């Protein structure tokens, strides 16, 4: 058993080369802006500084950090610079023990108090409480506490969408959607180097940095990232099925690794998405949030993304009643139309699919087979202190 575990570790891990370590250093030392709401000043931080500050404060509070990792698109950028995914959110994972509610609260307070270190000189810190800091600088707070998942997420706000996300993980069932976003880079050796070495890094003198793929096979996942291939395992285990991310990969010119298998996987993705978001208003909220978070700087791709998503839902949804399926397709079409209106685009008619709404007389008995889809009503969204993830 120990031998098998060792083999799995060898397959899932790899040592970064100098070019990758150099790019990692750039990511960790780049100045990132955390924008305050109202009159609160903008904080200028680096990932290196926020990690060292939070880790030190957690240690003082009695919480041991087993390791710290760079995750998500930033890790992918370090491994393959121009990979088609960009480098949007800056995701950091702190491996900690969270046995009870008290530890969750302590972690949150430590992060909020750590922000005081980054306030500009001249700002009085005496009367600034954790609650005030939360209202000023926190974009999102998430807490998950179940038998199989114990983790929390604290997202520091950036008005350009480049949020710094601090994730504190005790245990989590699934840490990736597709092989290309499964990478984590263990930062501890580089952080140790920053703390204790005065010698500048070079190709011939730098710490050994390990990368890991949660997909299970580092070389395979790395090949997928280099060649823009889509592969995953058990998409029915992913919240939302990975459907929205899958469509995002397609619009960025990624292609399925196995064209035969992908049709089966698409059906699993759609089924899980509609299990997690059965209500049309839930679907609307999810889609609008996804568009805002992933296409704020890529407006031109929004329409193409929605048309790809519509095609996948239309071709691969087998778990809905006919009217439910048409209602979702109608929602996606309305969002796509809104995108065109917002962009003031008059597209080439040969590339546009028109959707007609039946005339009022369809209520006549002779027209009972028609389905009249109603647009989702507007909604208002409230923000709780902790957002449930269930």
């Amino acid at each position: 058993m120990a031998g098998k575990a060792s083999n799995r570790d060898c397959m899932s891990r790899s040592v970064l080369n100098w070019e990758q370590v150099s790019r990692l250093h750039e990511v960790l030392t780049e100045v990132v802006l955390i924008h305050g709401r109202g009159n609160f000043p903008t904080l200028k931080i680096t990932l290196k500084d926020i990690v060292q500050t939070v880790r030190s404060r957690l240690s003082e509070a009695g919480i041991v950090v087993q390791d710290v990792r760079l995750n998500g698109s930033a890790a992918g950028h370090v491994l393959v610079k121009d990979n088609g995914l960009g480098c949007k959110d800056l995701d950091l994972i702190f491996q900690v023990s969270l046995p009870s509610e008290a530890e969750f609260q302590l972690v949150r307070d430590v992060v909020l108090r750590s922000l005081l270190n980054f306030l500009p000189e001249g700002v009085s810190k005496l009367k600034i409480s954790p609650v005030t800091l939360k209202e000023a600088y926190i974009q999102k707070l998430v807490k998950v506490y179940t038998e199989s998942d114990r983790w929390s997420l604290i997202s520091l706000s950036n008005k350009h969408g480049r949020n710094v996300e601090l994730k504190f993980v005790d245990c989590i069932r699934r840490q990736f959607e597709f092989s290309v976003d499964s990478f984590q880079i263990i930062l501890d050796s580089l952080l140790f180097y920053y703390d204790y070495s005065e010698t500048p890094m070079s190709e011939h003198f730098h710490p050994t940095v390990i990368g890991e793929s949660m997909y299970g096979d580092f070389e395979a996942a790395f090949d997928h990232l280099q060649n823009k291939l889509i592969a995953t395992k058990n998409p029915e285990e992913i919240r939302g099925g990975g459907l929205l991310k899958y469509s995002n990969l397609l619009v960025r010119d990624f292609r399925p690794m196995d064209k035969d298998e992908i049709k089966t996987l698409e059906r699993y993705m759609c089924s899980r998405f509609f299990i997690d978001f059965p209500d049309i208003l839930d679907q609307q909220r999810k889609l609008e949030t996804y568009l805002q978070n992933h296409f704020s700087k890529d407006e031109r791709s929004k329409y193409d993304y929605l048309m790809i998503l519509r095609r996948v839902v239309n071709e691969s949804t087998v778990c809905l009643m006919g009217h439910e399926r048409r209602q979702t397709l109608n929602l996606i079409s309305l969002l796509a139309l809104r995108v065109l209106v917002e962009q003031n685009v008059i597209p080439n008619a040969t590339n546009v699919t028109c959707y007609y709404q039946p005339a009022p007389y369809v209520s006549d008995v002779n027209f009972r087979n028609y389905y009249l889809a109603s647009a989702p009503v507007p909604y208002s969204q409230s923000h709780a202190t902790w957002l449930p993830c269930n």
Side-chain angles (χ1 to χ4, degrees), residues 357-376:
Q357 181 169 314
Y361 54 75
V362 299
S363 58
D364 185 86
V365 292
N366 295 320
F367 294 90
R368 288 283 174 85
N369 289 331
Y370 281 83
Y371 169 68
L372 180 59
S374 58

Side-chain angles (χ1 to χ4, degrees), residues 260-283:
D260 295 326
E261 182 189 27
I262 200 64
K263 288 301 178 184
T264 300
L265 295 180
E266 283 181 0
R267 289 195 288 273
Y268 283 128
M269 292 177 204
C270 290
S271 296
R272 179 61 195 260
F273 180 83
F274 290 114
I275 289 171
D276 292 331
F277 305 100
D279 182 77
I280 191 67
L281 290 180
D282 291 337
Q283 295 168 23

Side-chain angles (χ1 to χ4, degrees), residues 125-169:
K125 305 175 185 179
L126 295 177
K127 295 183 179 180
I128 302 179
S129 68
V131 174
T132 302
L133 290 167
K134 177 180 74 69
E135 295 299 327
Y137 294 110
I138 302 303
Q139 177 74 21
K140 180 170 57 176
L141 284 168
V142 177
K143 179 180 67 175
V144 177
Y145 190 82
T146 66
E147 290 184 3
S148 56
D149 292 283
R150 289 197 301 276
W151 56 269
S152 68
L153 172 71
I154 301 175
S155 179
L156 306 182
S157 179
N158 177 283
K159 66 183 180 181
H160 304 301
R162 200 158 188 245
N163 298 336
V164 175
E165 300 203 333
L166 310 177
K167 195 170 188 177
F168 300 87
V169 176

Side-chain angles (χ1 to χ4, degrees), residues 39-273:
N39 295 324
F40 279 86
T42 297
L43 308 182
K44 296 181 179 180
I45 70 170
T46 65
L47 296 189
K48 174 176 76 73
D49 290 341
I50 191 69
V51 166
Q52 290 174 323
T53 300
V54 170
R55 188 171 64 169
S56 174
R57 294 285 181 85
L58 287 173
S59 178
E60 292 172 3
I63 294 181
V64 177
V65 178
Q66 298 169 22
D67 62 42
V68 183
R69 301 176 178 226
L70 185 69
N71 185 49
S73 61
H77 165 76
V78 167
L79 295 173
V80 179
K81 184 176 181 180
D82 299 314
N83 57 39
L85 295 176
C87 181
K88 193 172 176 292
D89 285 343
L90 299 167
D91 301 338
L92 294 162
I93 296 177
F94 295 75
Q95 299 279 354
V96 295
S97 177
L98 299 170
S100 70
E101 175 70 29
E103 282 73 23
F104 279 90
Q105 191 67 38
L106 184 56
V107 164
R108 190 184 73 165
D109 289 345
V110 164
V111 172
L112 292 174
R113 291 196 177 93
S114 296
L115 296 180
L116 291 172
N117 285 27
F118 301 97
L119 287 169
E121 291 185 11
V123 176
S124 176
K125 305 175 185 179
L126 295 177
K127 295 183 179 180
I128 302 179
S129 68
V131 174
T132 302
L133 290 167
K134 177 180 74 69
E135 295 299 327
Y137 294 110
I138 302 303
Q139 177 74 21
K140 180 170 57 176
L141 284 168
V142 177
K143 179 180 67 175
V144 177
Y145 190 82
T146 66
E147 290 184 3
S148 56
D149 292 283
R150 289 197 301 276
W151 56 269
S152 68
L153 172 71
I154 301 175
S155 179
L156 306 182
S157 179
N158 177 283
K159 66 183 180 181
H160 304 301
R162 200 158 188 245
N163 298 336
V164 175
E165 300 203 333
L166 310 177
K167 195 170 188 177
F168 300 87
V169 176
D170 186 327
C171 57
I172 189 168
R173 280 178 298 179
R174 177 97 179 197
Q175 299 193 59
F176 73 99
E177 291 184 88
F178 296 87
S179 61
V180 293
D181 63 24
S182 68
F183 295 103
Q184 296 180 0
I185 297 174
I186 303 171
L187 302 180
D188 295 71
S189 61
L190 190 53
L191 294 172
F192 184 86
Y193 187 91
Y194 290 145
D195 286 337
Y196 296 103
S197 177
E198 297 180 358
T199 305
M201 287 192 299
S202 68
E203 183 175 1
H204 303 291
F205 188 79
H206 62 269
T208 299
V209 180
I210 303 295
E212 183 173 6
S213 169
M214 300 297 106
Y215 181 70
D217 186 332
F218 187 97
E219 293 303 323
F222 186 74
D223 178 70
H224 298 164
L225 185 62
Q226 281 186 309
N227 295 292
K228 303 181 77 170
L229 298 174
I230 301 173
T232 190
K233 297 176 180 178
N234 306 319
E236 67 278 6
E237 296 176 355
I238 307 169
R239 178 166 170 78
L243 175 63
L244 302 187
K245 179 64 177 283
Y246 172 66
S247 301
N248 196 350
L249 291 174
L250 290 175
V251 82
R252 298 181 190 281
D253 296 324
F254 283 70
R255 63 188 190 279
M257 187 184 69
D258 188 326
K259 292 183 179 180
D260 295 326
E261 182 189 27
I262 200 64
K263 288 301 178 184
T264 300
L265 295 180
E266 283 181 0
R267 289 195 288 273
Y268 283 128
M269 292 177 204
C270 290
S271 296
R272 179 61 195 260
F273 180 83

